[in-house]
Amino acid sequence: MDSSTTNDPKMEQDCSHMVKELLPQVDQLVASGQLPAALDQLHALEKKTRAAADLWSTTQLLERIVDICAHAQEWVMLEQQVAAMAKKHAQLKQAITKMVQKAMTYLDQAAEPTRTELIDGLRKVTEGKMFVEVEYARLTRMRANIYEQQGQINKAADLLQEVQVETSMDRREKTDFILEQMRLCLAKRDFIRMAIISRKINQKYFEHEGTEDLKLRYFELMIQYDVHEENYLEVSRHYYAIYTMPSIKADASKWPSMLQNMVLYLVMAPYGNEQVDMLHRIQQDHNLETLPHSCQLVKIFTTMELTRWSVVEQNTDKQVLRDRVIEHNVRVIAKYYLRATIQQLTRLLELSADEVETFISKAVVSGTIYARIDRPAGIVTFAQPREGEEQLNAWASDVNKLLSLVEKTTHLISKEEIVNKIAQAI
């Protein structure tokens, strides 16, 4: 982080020689057990280097204060020293950043609950300061992990959601941080916030090398969300994204389950152009041939033939899939029948009369078929009536075809008569 981003003043005096002279003396005091005296000398010189805006010297002194407290296992003192130094008038921002980073390296050496208290103290120091927002985010994530370990999922999720990850964080770490926010939202079952946070991730980033682990985590989280929301087409797309990952395709123990789930959720998705297109693309995948059940499902939904639910039911019991099979059968009937009785449809669809009406009505509302139900007569008409002009054009076309056939027939008769006359003349 350079001075242009932190607005630190220009150095007025070089105090590095004074620091180099003092540090050995401080080490001797610490070695002899005179910790307060050593800190006093560091504080005295720090005041001068801060006034002189000497960044290197100030940083060296602040880091040495942290080192001394940490090596002495004086964690409370360390927290107090960091807080006090950060509040000093005209304290250099880059020096504060280096001091906090140094203190964070010793967190794992402190035992609980001291470690948690130290994390809380450092979070207070970094809170609201743009130049240490990355450190604040890391500390907050540590604190959220502690809450999660204690079983306080809601607290962990709420705490982590408070952090707005900005561009100063490395892109990989930023993506990882957002994925952690998404995971905790799912754990809390806050699906609305999870969907909002997921939009912060640009999927094009996963095209970069070395991001496959993040890509896998992202799509696994999105699968959980879209399954809950019953967005089955999106679930299928997520499985497809995982399935096409090089590491997954190269592992024979992983890709079959991805392909199987992709097909299952795709046929469970509502009928539409995107769903049909994806089904036909998957049908071209040679790996599908190694999964008989998935191959059968794809064939059923890409062939305009009636399918018995009992055939599919042997391998799955999902109610949604049963509805999709019935909807497929309704589309097949609408394609090949101009009209049919309710009794015929109940036999073909293996449903009651009320269920037949329900599924036909849904198909009409969704716009996938045209149908009109005549309840008194018990007849369903699938042929869409034509408008007057369209009907006249159809009749005219039929008359033209008829005249053309009459003309062709007359020509053939004349030809036959001529052939007979020639034969008789011979």
Side-chain angles (χ1 to χ4, degrees), residues 167-184:
T167 55
S168 57
M169 184 178 284
D170 173 74
R171 191 169 185 184
R172 179 181 175 83
E173 185 180 3
K174 177 180 178 180
T175 304
D176 180 63
F177 193 91
I178 295 173
L179 289 174
E180 185 68 8
Q181 289 180 320
M182 291 169 59
R183 185 185 68 81
L184 286 175

Side-chain angles (χ1 to χ4, degrees), residues 23-292:
L23 291 182
Q25 300 174 19
V26 169
D27 291 339
Q28 292 179 1
L29 290 172
V30 172
S32 62
Q34 302 180 54
L35 188 61
L39 292 176
D40 288 342
Q41 291 197 22
L42 289 171
H43 289 161
L45 183 55
E46 184 273 336
K47 184 177 181 180
K48 294 179 182 179
T49 60
R50 174 163 37 91
D54 185 347
L55 177 61
W56 183 87
S57 299
T58 305
T59 301
Q60 291 295 312
L61 294 172
L62 294 182
E63 288 184 340
R64 184 55 62 91
I65 291 172
V66 172
D67 287 336
I68 290 172
C69 295
H71 291 155
Q73 301 286 302
E74 295 288 347
W75 304 114
V76 176
M77 182 183 293
L78 172 59
E79 180 184 344
Q80 293 172 348
Q81 290 291 326
V82 171
M85 292 296 103
K87 291 179 181 178
K88 293 291 185 180
H89 176 67
Q91 186 61 275
L92 303 177
K93 294 177 181 178
Q94 291 188 64
I96 296 176
T97 302
K98 295 291 184 182
M99 176 181 64
V100 171
Q101 290 174 349
K102 191 71 172 179
M104 289 174 65
T105 62
Y106 292 109
L107 286 173
D108 291 337
Q109 297 182 20
E112 295 292 354
T114 305
R115 178 175 178 271
T116 301
E117 294 171 356
L118 187 55
I119 290 173
D120 289 338
L122 292 175
R123 286 188 68 243
K124 289 179 182 178
V125 171
T126 55
E127 187 175 9
K129 298 181 177 67
M130 290 295 293
F131 57 92
V132 283
E133 63 177 355
V134 174
E135 288 71 25
Y136 177 72
R138 291 170 181 166
L139 290 164
T140 303
R141 183 171 179 176
M142 292 179 190
R143 190 66 179 91
N145 288 339
I146 293 172
Y147 276 133
E148 186 177 12
Q149 291 169 8
Q150 296 172 347
Q152 303 182 61
I153 299 296
N154 289 352
K155 276 191 175 182
D158 292 341
L159 183 65
L160 207 61
Q161 303 322 310
E162 296 175 359
V163 180
Q164 300 297 322
V165 183
E166 301 298 336
T167 55
S168 57
M169 184 178 284
D170 173 74
R171 191 169 185 184
R172 179 181 175 83
E173 185 180 3
K174 177 180 178 180
T175 304
D176 180 63
F177 193 91
I178 295 173
L179 289 174
E180 185 68 8
Q181 289 180 320
M182 291 169 59
R183 185 185 68 81
L184 286 175
C185 280
L186 280 178
K188 186 187 175 185
R189 303 191 66 76
D190 188 350
F191 296 100
I192 295 176
R193 186 176 292 274
M194 190 274 183
I196 295 171
I197 294 173
S198 67
R199 297 191 186 102
K200 296 181 181 180
I201 293 181
N202 187 348
Q203 294 186 26
K204 290 184 178 179
Y205 171 65
F206 297 132
E207 298 173 4
H208 293 77
E209 189 177 351
T211 60
E212 201 166 273
D213 58 325
L214 298 177
K215 180 179 180 180
L216 182 60
R217 284 173 55 199
Y218 171 76
F219 284 112
E220 285 176 345
L221 292 170
M222 292 305 299
I223 286 170
Q224 295 180 51
Y225 167 75
D226 282 312
V227 167
H228 175 269
E229 297 295 316
E230 298 183 356
N231 298 327
Y232 298 127
L233 183 59
E234 292 300 321
V235 174
S236 181
R237 285 175 177 162
H238 300 329
Y239 274 116
Y240 180 75
I242 297 175
Y243 170 70
T244 54
M245 291 169 60
S247 62
I248 299 297
K249 272 215 165 182
D251 192 339
S253 65
K254 293 181 179 178
W255 68 257
S257 62
M258 296 298 110
L259 182 56
Q260 187 173 0
N261 287 326
M262 177 174 62
V263 170
L264 178 60
Y265 282 103
L266 183 58
V267 298
M268 287 169 59
Y271 176 81
N273 293 334
E274 294 182 18
Q275 187 240 19
V276 172
D277 179 65
M278 198 168 177
L279 271 173
H280 283 89
R281 281 191 285 118
I282 291 175
Q283 196 174 25
Q284 306 302 318
D285 193 327
H286 297 298
N287 287 335
L288 190 64
E289 298 172 3
T290 63
L291 303 172

Side-chain angles (χ1 to χ4, degrees), residues 271-334:
Y271 176 81
N273 293 334
E274 294 182 18
Q275 187 240 19
V276 172
D277 179 65
M278 198 168 177
L279 271 173
H280 283 89
R281 281 191 285 118
I282 291 175
Q283 196 174 25
Q284 306 302 318
D285 193 327
H286 297 298
N287 287 335
L288 190 64
E289 298 172 3
T290 63
L291 303 172
H293 174 52
S294 298
C295 188
Q296 182 193 35
L297 281 178
V298 172
K299 185 178 179 180
I300 287 172
F301 284 89
T302 54
T303 306
M304 291 303 287
E305 295 179 0
L306 291 176
T307 301
R308 298 177 68 87
W309 167 242
S310 57
V311 176
V312 183
E313 190 180 18
Q314 295 174 2
N315 298 295
T316 181
D317 59 352
K318 290 185 177 292
Q319 179 65 32
V320 176
L321 184 56
R322 175 180 177 272
D323 292 348
R324 297 294 177 258
V325 170
I326 295 171
E327 290 168 4
H328 169 77
N329 289 339
V330 168
R331 291 194 298 273
V332 172
I333 292 171

